Amino acid sequence: MAGKHYVRSFGCQMNAYDSARIAEVLAHANGTQTAARPEDADVIVFNTCSVREKAQEKVFADLGRVRQLKRANPALMIAVGGCVASQEGEAIVRRAPYVDVVFGPQTLHRLPELLAARRASGRAQVDISFPEIEKFDRLPQPRADSPAAFVSIMEGCSKYCTFCVVPYTRGPEVSRPFEDVIGEVAALAAQGVREVTLLGQNVNAWRGAIDGRPADFAELLRYVADLEDIERIRYTTSHPREFSQRLIDAHAALGKLATHVHLPVQSGSDRVLAAMKRGYTALEYRSIARRLRRAQPGLSLSTDFIVGFPGESDADFEATLKLVAEVGFDDAFAFVYSARRGTPAAEFPDVTPPQVKAERLQRLQAALAPRAQAISAAMVGSVQRVLVEGRSARLAHELCGRTANNRVVNFGGAAGLAGRFAHVRITAALAHSLRGELVHAHE
Ligand code: SAM
Ligand code: F3S
């Protein structure tokens, strides 16, 4: 049955990746095409996020809106996937009876069958199981639509930080086999991909077997770097607890590794880190940052913070500000703690008033902002190696690409440069991007 699908993505990069796979699965199974607007679609998919309460509530608000479309067109199918689906399951259909299919992050490949079963039976279908790695065996080969591509190398998380729903919604850590990962990267390279981002909730927890021997993430990186057409490698998200010396050594040895690592720290207080069950101290985190920068000079670090975790005192928060000053983060996501049902921290006594939490968030953001701006400003005048991804989103006559330290650069140049690396001189640092001028393009 041909028609159109519309996939709306909420949340993290894993979800963005899964949304692209959902669209491919539907196109492959049913021959449907992407609709530009939900109004034009026969199947609407919400790929949801439940990491914070706000994201979760947004899903129900948006679902309420597509309900009108279903009234006008009863044949319209509405499917809800992702972490809210995984956590709520049947409860979604009870709260929103016009939803036809509920599926989890590990069952997205079954969506066409679930839709068919819904049509045949007239009953809503719910499948939020964790059938391990079956998902990847059943997905169509990904098609590259940009010279920079994402490849998922592991699923789920087994760290069980006390605040986080991900281990419950995405299941335990499962690594994709080495051959599958390398095969997918090589297939993408053959389609013109030059930069790959290896994806996972904890990418550096990847474990596999190479030629019958146990292998870790550092070794996987070496094999990816051996693929000639792959010129730049990124990975996200890594976890400090899995940041081995071998991985740090890989940063010294592999020139293809980008000079940017996203390494969530969450707090600078050891007391809070222990209550979060993060498995490292602030000193250990600083040691990783120092060794990484020694291994790869110029490396920029971005991170995630949670403020207002239950029991966080003024002194704990000051320790976070101290860590910010010591590490010098380039860019960070800072969130106010959001209690998630089913997680241990949701049961912890939380006496900090909301306005104190909001004020801490503001102070933290104020401490973080100047550093990101200073790094951008210091890049003005330098020549950067940029992978040209295509036309700029806002300035149609310009090209756009990313520097090794993950900054977007817009600059003038011929459209034919897309997919190639170029040397670009940085001429101005704006709030969220850089401007530049082409020096020369690579073959
Ligand atoms: N795997 C990553 C790591 O190593 O920390 C994080 C995954 S989580 C989906 C992304 C970020 O959301 C976390 O780093 C954390 O800062 C934030 N987050 C997770 N649970 C949260 C909660 N209950 N309240 C506020 N922020 C939360
Ligand atoms: Fe969540 Fe901690 Fe895993 S933040 S995704 S439980 S590493």
Side-chain angles (χ1 to χ4, degrees):
M1 182 221 87
K4 287 192 168 172
H5 56 252
Y6 181 85
V7 183
R8 170 114 200 246
S9 202
F10 300 78
C12 65
Q13 273 175 319
M14 294 297 297
N15 255 21
Y17 179 87
D18 282 349
S19 293
R21 300 290 82 76
I22 291 168
E24 281 173 2
V25 163
L26 291 174
H28 191 76
N30 299 336
T32 56
Q33 290 182 338
T34 305
R37 309 175 309 155
E39 290 82 347
D40 305 331
D42 307 288
V43 178
I44 296 179
V45 183
F46 280 54
N47 195 20
T48 63
C49 171
S50 62
V51 106
R52 280 170 295 277
E53 193 180 354
K54 252 201 195 132
Q56 175 145 1
E57 282 311 309
K58 186 154 181 8
V59 171
F60 284 103
D62 288 12
L63 269 175
R65 249 169 262 143
V66 294
R67 179 184 197 174
Q68 311 302 328
L69 299 177
K70 179 118 181 168
R71 282 211 183 106
N73 170 18
L76 172 68
M77 290 280 125
I78 299 176
V80 179
C83 289
V84 176
S86 184
Q87 203 164 22
E88 302 291 325
E90 305 270 354
I92 295 190
V93 183
R94 281 199 296 275
R95 184 166 165 185
Y98 47 91
V99 168
D100 300 290
V101 171
V102 177
F103 63 101
Q106 311 304 355
T107 47
L108 61 87
H109 56 283
R110 296 183 183 162
L111 184 54
E113 293 146 44
L114 291 165
L115 287 168
R118 161 66 183 83
R119 286 190 183 104
S121 69
R123 279 197 312 274
Q125 303 290 310
V126 178
D127 182 355
I128 50 168
S129 55
F130 298 142
E132 290 250 322
I133 213 79
E134 170 192 306
K135 167 175 164 183
F136 287 105
D137 293 340
R138 297 266 314 273
L139 288 175
Q141 272 283 339
R143 290 232 308 278
D145 51 11
S146 154
F150 290 90
V151 172
S152 172
I153 66 163
M154 52 93 62
E155 286 280 313
C157 181
S158 302
K159 298 285 186 286
Y160 292 94
C161 300
T162 54
F163 53 82
C164 185
V165 290
V166 169
Y168 311 97
T169 58
R170 288 187 166 267
E173 274 165 19
V174 182
S175 296
R176 279 180 82 187
F178 169 74
E179 292 75 15
D180 290 13
V181 172
I182 286 293
E184 188 166 318
V185 179
L188 289 166
Q191 295 176 50
V193 165
R194 294 293 165 262
E195 174 185 299
V196 72
T197 302
L198 305 178
L199 262 191
Q201 287 300 344
N202 292 291
V203 263
N204 50 342
W206 184 89
R207 298 289 182 275
I210 302 181
D211 295 334
R213 286 176 301 102
D216 63 2
F217 180 61
E219 196 160 354
L220 175 67
L221 284 176
R222 285 173 208 273
Y223 278 84
V224 175
D226 278 346
L227 296 172
E228 206 179 314
D229 288 336
I230 297 297
E231 295 187 52
R232 187 178 274 168
I233 306 167
R234 302 181 190 276
Y235 57 84
T236 199
T237 300
S238 52
H239 194 293
R241 209 158 94 193
E242 306 273 356
F243 225 102
S244 64
Q245 186 57 44
R246 282 170 54 79
L247 179 50
I248 292 171
D249 294 343
H251 274 267
L254 305 176
K256 290 183 179 180
L257 271 177
T259 52
H260 166 246
V261 171
H262 185 69
L263 188 59
V265 65
Q266 315 299 358
S267 169
S269 154
D270 289 344
R271 216 175 59 83
V272 173
L273 288 170
M276 289 176 164
K277 250 183 86 209
R278 290 290 292 178
Y280 53 85
T281 62
L283 187 68
E284 281 164 336
Y285 186 94
R286 291 212 311 270
S287 158
I288 296 170
R290 196 176 53 247
R291 283 179 289 139
L292 248 177
R293 284 175 170 151
R294 206 186 301 140
Q296 203 179 16
L299 180 124
S300 79
L301 266 184
S302 60
T303 197
D304 293 346
F305 287 104
I306 295 179
V307 300
F309 186 77
E312 183 189 68
S313 65
D314 283 337
D316 292 321
F317 179 65
E318 293 301 328
T320 296
L321 291 180
K322 186 161 166 271
L323 182 90
V324 168
E326 285 164 349
V327 175
F329 291 105
D330 176 7
D331 204 17
F333 298 100
F335 311 99
V336 170
Y337 168 74
S338 168
R340 307 314 290 132
R341 186 162 36 86
T343 61
E347 310 296 321
F348 296 175
D350 186 2
V351 294
T352 313
Q355 62 274 29
V356 172
K357 295 186 181 188
E359 193 197 318
R360 283 182 191 162
L361 181 66
Q362 266 186 357
R363 282 182 65 197
L364 177 58
Q365 279 167 340
L368 289 161
R371 170 82 187 190
Q373 210 42 47
I375 294 179
S376 291
M379 290 172 77
V380 174
S382 71
V383 173
Q384 300 285 328
R385 192 162 167 264
V386 169
L387 175 59
V388 186
E389 292 185 23
R391 285 268 167 229
S392 151
R394 277 186 300 152
L395 306 160
H397 57 289
E398 300 239 311
L399 296 173
C400 137
R402 256 166 218 278
T403 61
N405 67 352
N406 209 28
R407 275 178 165 59
V408 172
V409 192
N410 293 299
F411 58 99
L417 290 178
R420 287 158 66 182
F421 278 90
H423 276 116
V424 176
R425 180 173 293 106
I426 306 303
T427 54
L430 312 178
H432 301 289
S433 63
L434 303 170
R435 293 203 47 76
E437 61 193 18
L438 186 66
V439 179
H440 65 86
H442 295 233
E443 276 319 300

